[in-house]
Amino acid sequence: MISENVIIGRNPVIEALKNDREIEKLLIGKGAEGSITKIIGMAKDKQIPIYQSDKITLDRIAAGGNHQGVVAYASAYSYAELEDIYALAKAKGEEPFIIILDNLEDPHNLGAIMRTAECAGAHGLIIPKRRSCGLTEVVAKASAGAIEYLPCVKVSNIGQTIDRLKEDGMWIAACDMGGVNYYNQDLTGKIALVIGSEGTGISQLVRKKCDYIVSMPMVGKITSLNASNAAAILMYEVRKQRDGK
């Protein structure tokens, strides 16, 4: 049985792209020709990730359906706008508290971060369109329902988005090595926390745009934390400081 978020066949995929359905990624069969060129062009215009795949994989995903060399994964949930995050903060009578994920690719980590963010009182998440996990069914399950309440904004450029947030009066704190211990940093007011990917962390360009870097002391044999664990620690430090404790 095909998942409702999987679109197979050239014409259905073209129609989905025409109608601006949110597509997470495309799988294209190796050596596919004809209208596949049009599909690739449309996907590139929309900055949708494209991956080559073999026929066996496409056949398995299509579950016997006629995929014609193309499979699209649509988002399981709709995305929000930055204004939606601001509106949620205003409705709660609070300063905006945003989580920015820089190229986080693991859906379980994304879901876990969404779950903690909702519990800690964050008003929304921002993720990039490329090199990042989107709102898939796996993310929804890992979020334990938080995906229903927490706005998630997908942007073309994290650096430009940080510039926009700064213009709106936000302070940007990146979680990375070589910074101030997180419990010694003022994290009150309008704040956005930047969490990097599991493997490469935060990009240098994004790091340079942040107002300050916060780190967690590592006194054991292992010198790094899982992205969702690090995010949880920082989010609850923001919660602690907001509560004045």
Side-chain angles (χ1 to χ4, degrees):
M1 183 177 178
I2 304 176
S3 166
E4 63 182 18
N5 298 311
V6 173
I7 305 168
I8 66 170
R10 301 187 182 195
N11 285 335
V13 170
I14 288 174
E15 290 304 315
L17 291 169
K18 280 183 179 178
N19 288 290
D20 292 327
R21 185 166 179 186
E22 192 68 48
I23 303 296
E24 295 292 343
K25 64 181 178 180
L26 282 182
L27 299 185
I28 302 294
K30 295 177 181 177
E33 299 176 344
S35 56
I36 289 293
T37 303
K38 177 181 179 180
I39 292 172
I40 291 173
M42 294 173 72
K44 285 183 177 179
D45 288 342
K46 296 177 180 292
Q47 296 185 310
I48 296 170
I50 303 168
Y51 303 93
Q52 278 202 333
S53 184
D54 55 58
K55 186 177 183 300
I56 294 175
T57 300
L58 294 178
D59 288 345
R60 175 178 54 78
I61 295 170
N66 185 16
H67 55 73
Q68 299 175 301
V70 60
V71 170
Y73 282 86
S75 299
Y77 290 81
S78 60
Y79 290 94
E81 300 292 334
L82 183 57
E83 286 72 20
D84 297 320
I85 295 178
Y86 288 156
L88 179 58
K90 184 177 181 180
K92 291 184 174 182
E94 300 171 342
E95 299 278 24
F97 174 19
I98 300 173
I99 312 302
I100 302 173
L101 303 180
D102 187 24
N103 301 331
L104 191 78
E105 297 180 346
D106 187 304
H108 295 94
N109 268 340
L110 176 54
I113 288 172
M114 294 189 80
R115 181 177 184 175
T116 305
E118 204 283 327
C119 290
H123 302 110
L125 267 74
I126 296 175
I127 62 175
K129 286 186 176 180
R130 299 185 65 82
R131 297 181 298 280
S132 174
C133 177
L135 299 183
T136 65
E137 292 175 347
V138 174
V139 172
K141 185 176 181 180
S143 80
I147 198 171
E148 302 284 355
Y149 306 105
L150 193 70
C152 182
V153 179
K154 182 181 272 192
V155 300
S156 299
N157 189 293
I158 290 292
Q160 291 177 3
T161 301
I162 287 176
D163 290 338
R164 159 76 190 279
L165 293 173
K166 286 184 173 184
E167 290 174 0
D168 294 339
M170 300 285 295
W171 290 93
I172 316 297
C175 176
D176 206 357
M177 297 175 64
V180 176
N181 281 348
Y182 72 94
Y183 44 74
N184 291 328
Q185 178 64 56
D186 183 357
L187 298 174
T188 57
K190 298 180 179 180
I191 188 76
L193 299 178
V194 183
I195 309 297
S197 69
E198 301 85 358
T200 58
I202 295 170
S203 69
Q204 286 301 309
L205 178 60
V206 169
R207 181 184 167 108
K208 289 177 181 177
K209 285 182 175 288
C210 295
D211 294 302
Y212 36 78
I213 310 299
V214 293
S215 303
M216 279 157 281
M218 298 290 166
V219 298
K221 301 291 185 181
I222 300 172
T223 58
S224 66
L225 289 175
N226 173 280
S228 62
N229 292 338
I233 291 170
L234 291 180
M235 284 188 270
Y236 269 95
E237 179 63 23
V238 172
R239 180 77 268 150
K240 174 187 173 184
Q241 293 189 21
R242 286 193 165 206
D243 292 344
K245 299 178 182 178

